[in-house]
Amino acid sequence: DRKHVWHHLLQHQPFAAKPPMIVEEAQGLRIRDTSGREYLDATSGGVWCVNVGYGRERIAEAVCAQMKKMPYYAAVMGSLPAAEFSEKLLSYMPGLSRAYFSNSGSEANEKAYKMVRALAHLRGNPSKKKILFRHRDYHGTTIAALSSTGQDERREWFGPFVPGFVQFPHACCYRCAFGKTYPGCDLDCATAVERIIKEEGPETVGGLIVEPITAGGGVIPPVAEYYDVVADICRRHGVLLIMDEVVCGLGRTGTMFGYQHYGAAPDIVTMAKGLASAYMPISATVTTEAVFDAFRNDPSDRLAYFRDISTFGGCAAGCTAALENMKIIE
């Protein structure tokens, strides 16, 4: 490990004196290292992934059977696991009807951004491409995902960033960005969205992305009325509301998805991590039928469809693992 592995998010110099911990086994809520020491895994795989815990044999067995039968075919074709899992997933998401599969949360968000930008052309307003994002929210590790991330320490050194992403204030009452106290604050953190849309020009803003509950930026649940205000602003200005459920989704907050605590009606929802409890890598970008329908056009028009692909979105075992994962959560 010390000779060859490049770990995530770590300064490696200390390993010269002390080797890193090597995790060897896991069961339920506990992990065990190669020296035999056991730990309570209070971080669900280190980054909030293993929603149903370790050692779920039914997931492993289902994945094994699917991999023997048919491990992969590009998602330009259909597969039974993708169809069956889509139906199960969308049964928990009223108002949403289409699932686009890829393999990471960053990629799921990238797909959402591409959809927004492509829709600008399909709907005859090619300038309506800007994405608003919230201070303290995190949306992924790629350059575009970091461009929409409101955490300066994650972004440092990695610029220049992709143009067309605009930040708005966080929704943390404990350290209100406006120096006010809730209730009685007029929800400035939410109404600021409209001010920024008007400053940027409503004809240039196509989407707004938020984590329903800010995760890595401090575990910040907005107040109950927050998303009603934000969603109304988005509707009035023709801005698609994107909920990033990569951390909150699949039962972590007590509902199947975090946004469901607020009664919000998003246009696009992204998810990964707990989607298959990290037994297999899989993510999804879920949309309304209205978003999907905008891409369903005359086949003779070579540009009027969603011209995008995710190589590993065709991994049948990912959908198989996700389906078993949802059955366990049920």
Side-chain angles (χ1 to χ4, degrees):
D1 182 284
R2 283 195 285 185
K3 187 174 182 179
H4 296 296
V5 177
W6 193 330
H7 290 273
H8 301 182
L9 291 174
L10 285 179
Q11 171 55 256
H12 285 60
Q13 188 59 33
F15 294 160
K18 182 181 179 181
M21 185 176 86
I22 308 294
V23 181
E24 185 175 23
E25 295 181 73
Q27 187 68 33
L29 298 174
R30 297 184 179 275
I31 59 173
R32 186 178 294 108
D33 67 16
T34 48
S35 68
R37 293 191 68 182
E38 194 173 83
Y39 305 82
L40 178 65
D41 179 21
T43 56
S44 189
V47 286
W48 305 342
C49 283
V50 191
N51 288 18
V52 298
Y54 299 101
R56 295 286 188 172
E57 292 188 8
R58 59 185 284 186
I59 298 180
E61 289 166 359
V63 167
C64 180
Q66 180 59 49
M67 291 174 77
K68 289 179 180 178
K69 186 176 182 180
M70 195 275 288
Y72 173 86
Y73 197 85
V76 295
M77 300 294 180
S79 74
L80 291 175
E84 291 167 2
F85 175 57
S86 296
E87 182 178 42
K88 171 68 74 175
L89 176 66
L90 290 161
S91 72
Y92 282 93
M93 306 182 78
L96 300 161
S97 59
R98 297 285 173 168
Y100 184 106
F101 294 116
S102 45
N103 67 295
S104 73
S106 300
E107 191 175 359
N109 286 332
E110 296 265 352
K111 303 307 179 189
Y113 303 156
K114 285 183 170 181
M115 290 172 184
V116 169
R117 292 188 168 189
L119 282 168
H121 291 274
L122 289 171
R123 291 173 173 171
N125 188 356
S127 65
K128 199 171 175 65
K129 290 185 173 182
K130 291 178 184 175
I131 310 286
L132 304 189
F133 67 94
R134 189 169 58 194
H135 181 220
R136 299 182 74 151
D137 281 7
Y138 174 68
H139 298 298
T141 63
T142 63
I143 295 298
L146 276 177
S147 299
S148 62
T149 287
Q151 298 176 12
D152 291 342
E153 66 275 18
R154 291 187 184 270
R155 291 159 55 98
E156 194 169 358
W157 294 1
F158 296 127
F161 293 104
V162 179
F165 291 93
V166 180
Q167 184 171 275
F168 63 93
H170 62 72
C172 180
C173 290
Y174 184 64
R175 293 187 177 90
C176 176
F178 301 90
K180 297 185 179 181
T181 302
Y182 175 86
C185 61
D186 299 320
L187 287 181
D188 295 25
C189 56
T191 59
V193 169
E194 184 154 40
R195 172 177 56 79
I196 292 170
I197 289 174
K198 289 179 177 178
E199 288 173 357
E200 295 294 323
E203 72 284 358
T204 72
V205 180
L208 178 148
I209 187 167
V210 285
E211 293 182 277
I213 299 167
T214 301
V219 189
I220 304 165
V223 298
E225 313 96 301
Y226 178 84
Y227 284 118
D228 288 339
V229 175
V230 170
D232 178 65
I233 293 167
C234 287
R235 277 192 298 271
R236 287 191 285 105
H237 293 286
V239 173
L240 294 180
L241 177 58
I242 306 164
M243 288 285 182
D244 178 346
E245 291 275 357
V246 171
V247 172
C248 295
L250 284 299
R252 183 165 295 284
T253 68
T255 52
M256 192 60 81
F257 294 96
Y259 75 86
Q260 292 168 344
H261 289 285
Y262 295 93
D267 300 286
I268 301 175
V269 178
T270 61
M271 64 198 77
K273 292 189 187 292
L275 191 57
S277 286
Y279 280 71
M280 291 292 289
I282 182 174
S283 67
T285 306
V286 173
T287 77
T288 62
E289 196 70 6
V291 169
F292 176 79
D293 271 344
F295 293 95
R296 185 156 48 184
N297 296 295
D298 186 340
S300 66
D301 187 339
R302 64 182 185 85
L303 297 178
Y305 64 98
F306 191 48
R307 290 171 289 113
D308 196 75
I309 189 170
S310 170
T311 298
F312 295 117
C315 284
C319 288
T320 300
L323 181 59
E324 287 300 315
N325 180 67
M326 284 201 77
K327 290 177 180 177
I328 291 169
I329 292 172
E330 287 177 329

